[in-house]
Amino acid sequence: MTATVAPPQQLSTPTAEATRKRPSGGGRHPVAYLVLTVLALFAVGPFVIMVFNAFKNNAEIGSSPLAPPTSITFDNFATAWSQGDFSTTMRNSAILVLGAMLGTCVIAGLGAYALSHLEVPGGGGVLAYLFLGSTMPVQLFVVPLFSLWADLRLTDSLFGLMVIYWATDAPFATLMLRSFLVKVPKEFVEAARLDGASEVQIARKVMLPLAWPGFMTVALVVGLWAWNEFFWAITFVHDPSKRPISTSFLSFQDQNSTDWGLTSAAALFMLVPVLLLFITLQRRFVAGLTSGGLK
């Protein structure tokens, strides 16, 4: 008697046809593209219309406010530049931006280095204090700060406004830079100390090159905020020769509220510099947000 042995059961494998029928993760639904296109038009549309109106006269704006200009004229830019004294206010804003960027990076960089690689007593409490300080509304400090600034004669002063920017930006910048520096191995710091380097040399020659994307991110965020900042500027600076562009644009808009061509040209004076700055540093900004402390 011979026993019949059944053939081993073959494992089923997906066929090429079944594989082709599987939905691929890289596909995009047309509705998604439609939604993104509508959102892009909603975001860019007002800016495009403002650019159109900056090259029109009032008669053409009244007849076709949304259409491109039929004849391009630069009279609005020349008139707005002279009437609004934007050469002075843009210079003041540039000084504030550079000072805020440099000062915040130095203050936040030293604080982040201490909290990440030094034994700071109560470091956890300091981090909690910085987090709390970055979330509190700045309006709480207006009255006592204005009284103190008046006693110190720091009102109507670009340096006084710059110090306020350092104080309001430093908590957020310190927390962000610390997230970069904690990823740097402590062996680098210990090796530098064994070689006889001081803490300042370690911070400048070891930590700064490794955390450069984080510093670029902080500098860009602080610079954009300082250029567009309005609340502190209108509260502490009243001298027309010391006003930044954000408050001078408000004054110019109030004086020319019915002239859309002039106000559109003045708005471009305020928007184009920061737009060019962001486009120039966009790659470094994204790399700073996504990278760690090491390259």
Side-chain angles (χ1 to χ4, degrees):
M1 176 187 257
T2 60
T4 307
V5 180
Q9 220 174 8
Q10 294 183 348
L11 297 175
S12 59
T13 58
T15 61
E17 183 179 357
T19 305
R20 285 195 301 266
K21 290 181 180 180
R22 290 179 179 175
S24 60
R28 295 292 184 271
H29 200 277
V31 177
Y33 286 108
L34 178 62
V35 172
L36 292 176
T37 303
V38 172
L39 292 177
L41 292 175
F42 182 78
V44 180
F47 177 77
V48 174
I49 295 173
M50 182 181 64
V51 174
F52 288 165
N53 291 338
F55 293 97
K56 298 178 186 178
N57 53 37
N58 284 335
E60 188 176 358
I61 293 175
S63 60
S64 56
L66 303 181
T70 56
S71 60
I72 297 178
T73 176
F74 294 92
D75 294 340
N76 291 329
F77 293 94
T79 304
W81 184 265
S82 60
Q83 288 186 4
D85 195 17
F86 284 106
S87 60
T88 301
T89 58
M90 290 183 71
R91 181 199 63 199
N92 296 336
S93 290
I95 294 173
L96 288 173
V97 167
L98 292 176
M101 291 168 61
L102 293 176
T104 304
C105 284
V106 171
I107 296 171
L110 295 176
Y113 171 70
L115 292 173
S116 59
H117 288 274
L118 297 179
E119 298 296 332
V120 178
V126 175
L127 290 176
Y129 174 77
L130 291 176
F131 181 78
L132 181 63
S134 63
T135 56
M136 293 181 66
V138 295
Q139 290 82 359
L140 294 175
F141 312 104
V142 172
V143 175
L145 187 60
F146 188 87
S147 177
L148 176 62
W149 252 229
D151 293 338
L152 297 175
R153 296 183 180 180
L154 290 177
T155 57
D156 285 332
S157 168
L158 294 180
F159 177 74
L161 191 59
M162 201 180 299
V163 173
I164 296 176
Y165 291 168
W166 294 345
T168 54
D169 292 339
F172 162 76
T174 303
L175 293 175
M176 176 175 284
L177 286 177
R178 180 184 174 276
S179 67
F180 283 87
L181 296 181
V182 293
K183 297 179 182 179
V184 178
K186 293 188 177 182
E187 288 77 7
F188 290 1
V189 179
E190 294 173 358
R193 287 172 181 162
L194 290 176
D195 291 338
S198 63
E199 296 297 336
V200 176
Q201 291 176 329
I202 294 173
R204 183 169 57 90
K205 296 183 178 181
V206 178
M207 307 301 292
L208 178 60
L210 294 176
W212 187 247
F215 280 95
M216 290 295 297
T217 304
V218 168
L220 182 57
V221 172
V222 170
L224 293 177
W225 184 84
W227 181 273
N228 295 309
E229 198 280 323
F230 180 82
F231 177 76
W232 294 116
I234 201 172
T235 304
F236 286 86
V237 177
H238 303 99
D239 186 356
S241 63
K242 301 293 181 62
R243 289 185 302 184
I245 192 172
S246 57
T247 57
S248 67
F249 173 71
L250 174 66
S251 177
F252 181 84
Q253 189 179 28
D254 291 338
Q255 297 173 5
N256 302 274
S257 58
T258 58
D259 197 327
W260 292 101
L262 282 180
T263 54
S264 297
L268 287 180
F269 291 149
M270 184 174 178
L271 292 177
V272 169
V274 292
L275 185 62
L276 294 177
L277 176 65
F278 183 79
I279 292 175
T280 304
L281 301 178
Q282 182 181 11
R283 291 186 178 180
R284 294 183 180 272
F285 175 72
V286 175
L289 289 178
T290 56
S291 65
L294 289 176
K295 295 183 181 179

